[in-house]
Amino acid sequence: MSNELLKSDVTAEALIAKAQRDGVETMWDRKAAQKTQCGFGEAGVCCRICAMGPCRVSPVPGKGAERGICGANAGTIVARNFVRMIAGGASAHSDHARDIVHAMHLASAEGPFKIRDEAKMRRIAAEWGIEAADTKETYALAHELAEMALEEFGKPFGTQRFLTRAPQQRQDIWKRERMEPRAIDQEITTIMHSTHIGCASDIDSLLNRGMRASLGDGWGGSMIGTEFSDILYGTPKACASESNLGVIDAEMVNIVLHGHDPNLAEVVVVASKNPELLELAKSLGAKGINVVGMCCTGNEVTMRHGIKIAGNFYQQELAIITGAIEAVIVDVQCIFPALPALAKKYHTHFVSTSQKAKIAGDMYIEFSESDALNCAYGIVKTAVENFANRDASKVEIPNFKEPTIAGYSVETIIDHLDKVVNSQLEDKLGTVKPLSDVIYAGVIRGAAGVVGCNNPKTEHDLGHVTVIKELIKRDVIVVVTGCAAQAAAKVGLLTLEAKELCGRGLKEVCERVNIPPVLHMGSCVDCSRILDLVSRVAVEKGVDICDLPVVGSAPEWMSEKAVSIASYVVASGINTYLGIIPQVLGSVEFTELLNEGVRANVGAVYVFEKDPLVAVEKMMVDIEEKRTALGI
Amino acid sequence: MSLTELIYAGSNAVAGLTEGAVKDAIEKHGEGHVVGFPDTAYFLPVIYAATGVKIKKLGDLPAAVAILKSLITNKDDLGDALNAGLATAVGAEIIEALRYVEGDPYADDSGIGFVPDPVIRSLGVPLVTGDIPGIAVLLGESADPASLAAIVKDYQEKGLLTFMVGNIIEQAQASGVKMGLDYRVIPLGHEVTSVIHVVSVAIRAALIFGAVEPGKLGDFLTYTKERVPAFINTFGPLDEVVVSVGAGAIALGFPVIADTVVPEVAGALMTQADHAKTVETSLEARSIKIKVTKIDVPVSVASAFEGERVRKDT
């Protein structure tokens, strides 16, 4: 059987056929079993925040029930549901970040949690105003900085420290709109409060509070997650890797790392190199231990260690169906609860490790940062021992993989830009000036961040790949994170050779700077790197972010985290193009607010466009309008 | 105005001038009248290289004008804008060729105009051996003739071949710069269109030494980018035509270093207001590395002075 949602995936057809032969169920079977999804939920007009409900109101104004029992109309219900999605997303990113900072608080010279980018730590300590940031003893400073970062989640007064990275104009807008996020957890809590029965009903106010919480994610939780991960695990540098299910190796012990939190993934990578475990693997007839990544935890270890990318969100089941996976090790976020049952159909061990995401059905080995290496050793050992149980007759690995270059942190991008700076000019090193110059000169027309998930409402990866290819063809440089980055990786867009697919200007830039036209900037929390980069360009040119010819795009988004990301990108002044329409169409007013009204507040809007080609045309009009306004 | 708009403005202006000049020349002399440059086997070299077309008489020109106009799309796209720069080069070549129709237009000029084939052949060996490490093209009128002269002398000492266009020729001469092929400082002319004669040098280098096939424009651009170590220094304010010429230079792979504010593009177009740094900036931009052993003597020492003739002071 071929699945029409998988037409553009070269690995899918054989594996879906195998799934049928093996009698296992996949997300596409479950999607079909859902039949037609509920129109009230789809329109966002179903409310079940109290026990008087569930209420559903008519998505068509003037027809049917116009108010819920409490009197909430479609606008209120849609807005509450939407900002609760933001809260869900912001909480996921922020809790992720909190774990990273906790690990840093545990850091010691003996490890396993060490300070690996001391310069970055001192830079951020100075940015946050710690005295003697450049001379204090490393771990004393680490612990002080970690404590300060933990305060960001629940401090009683003040706003997020990283906000000052934004251009002054943007900070002024946030102040005017009362959108400066205070403590991260507070913003999430206050959304849950405002959306309780009988609280806020004003859609402008609800969205405003939602955006504030999302800013607490982008410029708070996610940014802390990224920056502190870099301090602990090293700031990513350009590195070679490979992508797609073909990286699974029939002759090795295959471990899939899936989830988000690098705390676990990093120590698993260390344990997979343990000589005793390698010896054990060999004694069982394996050539070695092959750790491959999936989703964002995959991105984290790809960015820092070049760990191969097995696939993105929708491929998590396909990986197991290859029959060659000894263990899927997961932590938190975007892990199908369907995986344990699927794993049991094969010899695969499904190991959930986080108390926050205990997934019933197979193994649970709790990961504790205080005993990290032993934990990881135990988990990897379980995987290695499981090699003996593999049934070679059930193994079928698609022979598809593409070379990939990842590791483009802001620091690495700037390092590359430094190489084209003429040392005789006044230009300083360590800035984004060469990038802002080529944008202003029109060598490249603009920049786009393409991010987000996969969604069975649309053909998998097609939206990502189409948007990216069409943009680079039009001389728009693309930065990618998350599953969008992995979609690009799987079709070979993250290579130097991909410059041949670009317009003349972007091709020149790629050649001179020696970069691919599509830059993998990391996981979903690493969308904060994009905020940082865009802010630097805006500050360099003395304009606000909303003045720059820059767009955001989430062609196949799915999660609440994506809603939070889209919201903080819009609130930061960047028009954001959504390929999946959020569940808001039941309220004309709220839809209008997202698509147009919010422009008056933050200078950017959410654009809904399902067709990736049409979306790209709209983005280009947007980019050219920004250029005209700037006179460039 | 955005950079691309500036380029197109210059290209369109040159296209208009070219079209008019061709029309006038045909009216005056007839389609059968011969057109071309002295001492070359390559017809109008830029057009010959780019299209393979051998222009021999005035009647061949309207088709070339049509090609150059088709290169100017006015679209906001770097590739298109660079093509428009090449169109300006083609236009300049036609205008210069028409000036030769009625005899040598450079007879009374301090510039030499068209550079004949034998000169290019004589420069070939030192270019290949690296004895001539680079080609500097200087353009415009300097606000500070003394620093201009210092720049030219510096290039001379480093063995570069320098071409000059515009009033900088007199400015440099007045400040004591010796010129001529033997000194590796070649004044081309005063009209901005005479800059085409150095483009013609680069193009014929590809034809003669690179054996690139006429008509294969892409191969020429690759050859000039990789093998002809040229760059442009502009002096004084830039008009649209100069910007458009600059785009042509960038299309050939030659960076442009201006002494006024321009929309900068790292490695291709930059501002160096400090003339004391122009030479180093330019050499770095074109990746020209020169090993200099400074001999501490009271006169300049360089291979550029090898052809110097010593005369009695009168």
Side-chain angles (χ1 to χ4, degrees):
Chain A
M1 182 197 89
S2 69
N3 188 311
E4 64 167 26
L5 295 170
L6 287 166
K7 271 185 297 193
S8 54
D9 178 0
V10 291
T11 70
E13 194 171 334
L15 286 174
I16 291 287
K18 182 170 191 291
Q20 297 218 311
R21 277 202 313 278
D22 295 348
V24 299
E25 167 195 285
T26 64
M27 67 184 288
W28 300 286
D29 299 312
R30 296 189 295 274
K31 167 85 166 75
Q34 287 293 314
K35 300 213 171 71
T36 306
Q37 289 172 319
C38 171
F40 291 96
E42 182 66 40
V45 288
C46 166
C47 179
R48 27 162 298 278
I49 62 170
C50 81
M52 296 193 292
C55 294
R56 55 188 196 185
V57 301
S58 167
V60 184
K63 268 182 89 177
E66 288 192 40
R67 289 178 182 275
I69 295 170
C70 69
N73 62 14
T76 299
I77 292 171
V78 166
R80 283 195 306 221
N81 289 340
F82 186 79
V83 299
R84 278 197 172 197
M85 288 189 88
I86 295 179
S91 72
H93 284 146
S94 301
D95 221 30
H96 167 165
R98 193 195 325 265
D99 283 350
I100 305 286
V101 185
H102 269 298
M104 186 161 139
H105 200 260
L106 282 172
S108 67
E110 297 77 41
F113 301 110
K114 287 191 182 63
I115 300 306
R116 288 185 172 81
D117 191 340
E118 185 163 335
K120 183 157 188 169
M121 175 177 76
R122 294 193 186 279
R123 213 159 60 231
I124 289 172
E127 185 180 342
W128 280 9
I130 293 184
E131 272 179 43
D134 48 350
T135 51
K136 236 174 221 167
E137 192 274 322
T138 307
Y139 285 89
L141 182 64
H143 298 151
E144 186 179 346
L145 184 61
E147 223 170 293
M148 224 165 158
L150 289 169
E151 295 284 336
E152 291 298 285
F153 292 87
K155 60 187 181 186
F157 305 106
T159 55
Q160 285 297 299
R161 293 178 183 274
F162 278 134
L163 295 183
T164 53
R165 288 182 169 187
Q168 189 59 48
Q169 300 93 315
R170 184 57 25 187
Q171 295 183 47
D172 293 344
I173 286 175
W174 289 335
K175 188 179 273 304
R176 183 190 76 201
E177 298 297 323
R178 294 203 294 167
M179 233 180 238
E180 295 163 297
R182 302 157 297 170
I184 297 161
D185 293 350
Q186 180 186 5
E187 298 302 352
I188 295 163
T189 305
T190 194
I191 282 188
M192 299 313 285
H193 177 185
S194 296
T195 56
H196 189 275
I197 158 83
C199 256
S201 72
D202 179 85
I203 60 170
D204 294 285
S205 164
L206 276 162
L207 183 62
N208 175 287
R209 298 176 77 77
M211 285 189 147
R212 184 164 67 179
S214 76
L215 288 170
D217 173 356
W219 298 85
S222 286
M223 202 168 273
I224 291 172
T226 294
E227 298 292 50
F228 285 65
S229 293
D230 284 356
I231 293 172
L232 270 189
Y233 302 119
T235 301
K237 292 187 172 59
C239 61
S241 183
E242 284 183 313
S243 307
N244 216 346
L245 292 170
V247 303
I248 297 168
D249 191 325
E251 294 177 330
M252 293 175 82
V253 173
N254 292 305
I255 297 176
V256 173
L257 279 173
H258 179 22
H260 283 77
D261 183 348
N263 283 355
L264 170 71
E266 286 282 338
V267 285
V268 168
V269 171
V270 172
S272 72
K273 292 175 181 156
N274 183 303
E276 284 170 39
L277 293 175
L278 285 171
E279 203 45 53
L280 177 63
K282 282 180 185 151
S283 72
L284 293 168
K287 280 194 173 166
I289 302 173
N290 182 35
V291 176
V292 296
M294 190 152 256
C295 285
C296 282
T297 209
N299 280 326
E300 298 275 2
V301 286
T302 302
M303 291 284 285
R304 296 201 178 84
H305 308 291
I307 293 286
K308 292 168 184 171
I309 299 169
N312 50 359
F313 177 71
Y314 78 92
Q315 285 174 304
Q316 52 185 291
E317 290 175 309
L318 299 183
I320 295 175
I321 293 168
T322 62
I325 305 298
E326 274 55 59
V328 179
I329 302 169
V330 306
D331 45 60
V332 292
Q333 299 174 23
C334 304
I335 302 147
F336 286 167
L339 294 190
L342 178 65
K344 287 216 156 157
K345 296 274 188 176
Y346 298 88
H347 75 297
T348 307
H349 286 321
F350 174 86
V351 187
S352 72
T353 62
S354 169
Q355 204 184 9
K356 294 171 190 172
K358 187 165 182 178
I359 299 172
D362 200 352
M363 301 176 82
Y364 175 71
I365 304 176
E366 191 163 304
F367 174 72
S368 147
E369 271 86 357
S370 56
D371 192 23
L373 272 182
N374 280 333
C375 260
Y377 182 90
I379 294 170
V380 174
K381 190 170 178 212
T382 309
V384 173
E385 285 167 347
N386 196 23
F387 186 76
N389 300 322
R390 191 195 287 182
D391 178 354
S393 69
K394 283 181 109 176
V395 172
E396 191 180 318
I397 303 167
N399 188 24
F400 292 103
K401 56 183 178 185
E402 287 288 335
T404 299
I405 306 178
Y408 291 98
S409 57
V410 173
E411 290 84 345
T412 296
I413 291 174
I414 288 175
D415 279 349
H416 276 75
L417 294 176
D418 277 348
K419 302 228 162 62
V420 297
V421 173
N422 193 304
S423 66
Q424 301 297 319
L425 298 179
E426 301 284 295
D427 299 357
K428 290 189 193 72
L429 294 180
T431 75
V432 295
K433 182 169 184 292
L435 173 62
S436 43
D437 279 348
V438 288
I439 293 175
Y440 266 57
V443 174
I444 57 178
R445 306 309 296 172
V450 181
V451 306
C453 327
N454 293 118
N455 190 319
K457 285 181 177 168
T458 184
E459 188 180 335
H460 289 292
D461 285 354
L462 182 71
H464 292 313
V465 172
T466 307
V467 167
I468 295 168
K469 277 189 175 169
E470 294 297 322
L471 285 173
I472 62 173
K473 202 196 283 178
R474 291 165 174 77
D475 282 336
V476 174
I477 192 165
V478 175
V479 297
V480 288
T481 61
C483 288
Q486 294 172 327
K490 287 187 289 172
V491 295
L493 287 168
L494 305 187
T495 57
L496 297 176
E497 292 71 31
K499 69 173 198 265
E500 300 303 335
L501 302 171
C502 301
R504 175 73 188 273
L506 182 53
K507 186 181 170 189
E508 286 275 337
V509 170
C510 291
E511 279 174 1
R512 286 173 194 270
V513 187
N514 194 31
I515 49 169
V518 185
L519 299 175
H520 190 342
M521 292 189 75
S523 64
C524 48
V525 290
D526 294 340
C527 288
S528 62
R529 297 191 202 274
I530 304 178
L531 293 180
D532 186 10
L533 187 65
V534 177
S535 279
R536 286 169 192 252
V537 173
V539 170
E540 174 78 43
K541 289 291 177 189
V543 298
D544 190 4
I545 296 172
C546 66
D547 300 324
L548 293 172
V550 169
V551 295
S553 166
E556 304 177 24
W557 72 273
M558 166 281 302
S559 68
E560 290 178 326
K561 290 183 291 174
V563 181
S564 178
I565 293 171
S567 298
Y568 72 63
V569 172
V570 172
S572 300
I574 301 171
N575 290 329
T576 300
Y577 293 75
L578 303 177
I580 302 288
I581 298 179
Q583 292 145 359
V584 298
L585 296 183
S587 164
V588 178
E589 291 79 13
F590 191 69
T591 304
E592 197 277 334
L593 179 62
L594 296 181
N595 292 161
E596 190 47 53
V598 76
R599 191 191 305 276
N601 307 83
V602 294
V605 295
Y606 304 75
V607 184
F608 303 161
E609 181 49 64
K610 287 187 193 171
D611 183 330
L613 286 172
V614 177
V616 169
E617 292 311 323
K618 288 183 179 174
M619 289 177 209
M620 293 313 297
V621 171
D622 185 349
I623 282 171
E624 293 302 331
E625 280 176 2
K626 293 274 169 77
R627 297 190 66 88
T628 306
L630 280 172
I632 55 174
Chain B
M1 247 200 299
S2 75
L3 181 60
T4 45
E5 284 171 329
L6 274 172
I7 294 170
Y8 287 124
S11 301
N12 283 313
V14 171
L17 285 175
T18 311
E19 197 169 23
V22 169
K23 216 172 129 212
D24 293 349
I26 291 175
E27 270 173 22
K28 195 168 171 191
H29 302 286
E31 289 195 347
H33 197 278
V34 173
V35 65
F37 293 114
D39 295 322
T40 180
Y42 302 100
F43 315 96
L44 270 53
V46 174
I47 295 174
Y48 181 55
T51 63
V53 174
K54 300 170 179 175
I55 305 267
K56 293 174 183 169
K57 52 188 192 337
L58 290 175
D60 299 333
L61 285 174
V65 173
I67 292 173
L68 91 85
K69 281 170 81 179
S70 74
L71 284 172
I72 309 171
T73 65
N74 298 308
K75 272 194 216 147
D76 268 336
D77 176 275
L78 180 79
D80 284 13
L82 294 184
N83 283 340
L86 292 174
T88 301
V90 170
E93 180 165 66
I94 293 173
I95 291 172
E96 285 290 308
L98 291 174
R99 292 178 65 198
Y100 274 90
V101 166
E102 294 178 18
D104 182 2
Y106 290 92
D108 300 322
D109 197 316
S110 51
I112 66 158
F114 185 78
V115 181
D117 287 359
V119 174
I120 296 174
R121 289 182 200 278
S122 73
L123 293 173
V125 174
L127 263 173
V128 171
T129 58
D131 183 40
I132 297 175
I135 299 173
V137 181
L138 275 49
L139 193 70
E141 181 167 352
S142 178
D144 177 10
S147 67
L148 166 75
I151 289 169
V152 179
K153 284 179 183 166
D154 198 354
Y155 286 141
Q156 221 170 3
E157 277 189 35
K158 290 184 164 68
L160 277 85
L161 187 59
T162 304
F163 290 91
M164 304 183 79
V165 175
N167 290 337
I168 50 171
I169 296 174
E170 278 69 28
Q171 290 184 315
Q173 272 169 342
S175 300
V177 173
K178 292 179 183 172
M179 294 190 189
L181 188 58
D182 294 340
Y183 294 105
R184 293 189 182 172
V185 178
I186 303 175
L188 287 175
H190 290 80
E191 297 291 331
V192 67
T193 48
S194 55
V195 75
I196 195 63
H197 299 309
V198 62
V199 175
S200 172
V201 170
I203 287 290
R204 274 178 287 159
L207 280 163
I208 298 169
F209 308 117
V212 182
E213 215 177 295
K216 295 198 168 166
L217 178 60
D219 292 356
F220 279 98
L221 299 182
T222 309
Y223 186 90
T224 53
K225 185 177 179 180
E226 287 172 4
R227 305 294 295 274
V228 182
F231 57 86
I232 322 288
N233 291 161
T234 66
F235 296 87
L238 302 181
D239 65 16
E240 292 152 359
V241 173
V242 173
V243 172
S244 173
V245 166
I250 291 169
L252 293 161
F254 306 155
V256 178
I257 296 91
D259 67 353
T260 53
V261 175
V262 291
E264 290 190 90
V265 177
L269 176 59
M270 57 208 91
T271 299
Q272 177 54 274
D274 182 354
H275 286 163
K277 290 182 177 170
T278 302
V279 172
E280 288 306 320
T281 308
S282 305
L283 296 181
E284 185 178 323
R286 194 65 181 111
S287 307
I288 297 170
K289 293 188 178 68
I290 298 170
K291 281 187 211 155
V292 183
T293 314
K294 272 268 180 193
I295 306 167
D296 196 11
V297 288
V299 293
S300 295
V301 178
S303 53
F305 299 101
E306 276 171 14
E308 186 171 16
R309 277 161 292 182
V310 183
R311 293 198 182 145
K312 278 187 212 166
D313 286 332
T314 49

